[in-house]
Amino acid sequence: MIKVAPSILSADFARLGEHVRLVEEAGAELLHIDVMDGRFVPNITLGPAVVKALRPHSGLIFDVHLMIENPDLYVEDFAAAGADIITVHAESRTHLHRSLQMIRQTGRRAGLAYNPATPPAGLEYVLPLLDLVLVMTVNPGFGGQDFIPAMLPKIRRVAALLEAEKPEAWLQVDGGINNATAPEVARAGAGVLVAGSAVFGAADPAQAIKELKEAAGSGPGL
Ligand code: DX5
Ligand code: ZN
């Protein structure tokens, strides 16, 4: 079953609580929370205080995507604020294994993200620590960008590795996911679709979530 993770980056920040309730009622499984520091990516978003404020208002799986330098410094803060999954970028640390261990030590699920130009090299060595692998399908930093089709072989490669060695881990894609690209990524093996503008930019976000799930399930070969 395909899971949808609406990204609050494209929500109305003045009506955040309302938007989070709306996507939960519409059947989303996760809430994707994009954390940016203006250094790892050229944009600044939000921190643990916002995660903490939203936590009492939602039963969704809080999926925190850290696009920040030195994420180790903030892992405990996001865990305490109510994150369920904490994802760090392969490009952000030299000692990735240690970062993933730190996330696991907080009792949260650990995710590892790869930018478009980064090969998923070494993934097999950290699989025991991983609950989620995120293949970025745009360059991180902004919502509303175009899907990069050259990421499809990477999704297939990671899917094959997970299927063989860690089938319970989730394969997530993030960036440019809409009704046109959802069937392609689902066919390539992605199971969790992050969608920002396709959900919150739609006139009816609840309908948009349903359509994304249908689109993802309708690809040939599924
Ligand atoms: C991009 C973020 C995404 C973003 C996706 O850096 O990681 O989660 O919100 O937005 P869309 O779905 O509009 O491409
Ligand atoms: Zn994201």
Side-chain angles (χ1 to χ4, degrees):
M1 237 292 267
I2 295 285
K3 295 178 173 54
V4 171
S7 164
I8 59 168
L9 186 61
S10 295
D12 180 349
F13 277 24
R15 297 164 59 208
L16 212 42
E18 199 184 310
H19 271 173
V20 169
R21 269 191 296 278
L22 192 154
V23 296
E24 184 162 8
E25 282 163 16
E29 286 85 0
L30 296 85
L31 187 73
H32 188 78
I33 302 172
D34 286 305
V35 178
M36 306 184 187
D37 65 352
R39 292 177 68 89
F40 183 74
V41 289
N43 195 3
I44 298 177
T45 55
L46 48 86
V50 176
V51 176
K52 190 176 175 190
L54 288 173
R55 188 68 278 184
H57 300 282
S58 177
L60 288 167
I61 297 167
F62 277 15
D63 168 35
V64 174
H65 177 193
L66 295 182
M67 287 161 277
I68 61 176
E69 287 185 356
N70 207 350
D72 297 11
L73 292 178
Y74 300 96
V75 162
E76 282 189 14
D77 289 347
F78 280 103
D84 295 297
I85 303 170
I86 299 176
T87 296
V88 292
H89 266 263
E91 305 82 9
S92 69
R93 290 303 282 162
T94 308
H95 298 289
L96 256 185
H97 188 276
R98 183 185 295 151
S99 303
L100 297 169
Q101 271 180 325
M102 279 185 65
I103 299 171
R104 282 298 191 93
Q105 276 160 11
T106 67
R108 307 310 187 195
R109 292 185 242 173
L112 178 57
Y114 292 97
N115 279 337
T118 308
L123 181 55
E124 58 268 46
Y125 306 115
V126 291
L127 277 182
L129 292 171
L130 281 183
D131 300 287
L132 178 146
V133 179
L134 166 53
V135 175
M136 289 303 301
T137 43
V138 298
N139 287 295
F142 302 94
Q145 303 180 79
D146 288 340
F147 176 80
I148 303 171
M151 294 304 107
L152 288 168
K154 196 198 289 191
I155 298 166
R156 282 194 284 271
R157 182 172 155 193
V158 172
L161 180 67
L162 292 182
E163 200 182 310
E165 307 214 8
K166 186 119 190 199
E168 68 274 26
W170 288 351
L171 175 46
Q172 183 178 59
V173 288
D174 183 6
I177 303 301
N178 53 36
N179 291 346
T181 55
E184 294 190 71
V185 293
R187 202 153 58 229
V192 183
L193 312 188
V194 175
S197 48
V199 170
F200 291 110
D204 183 348
Q207 180 63 22
I209 290 171
K210 289 190 188 80
E211 284 179 15
L212 263 181
K213 288 192 179 197
E214 281 165 19
S218 69
L222 282 174

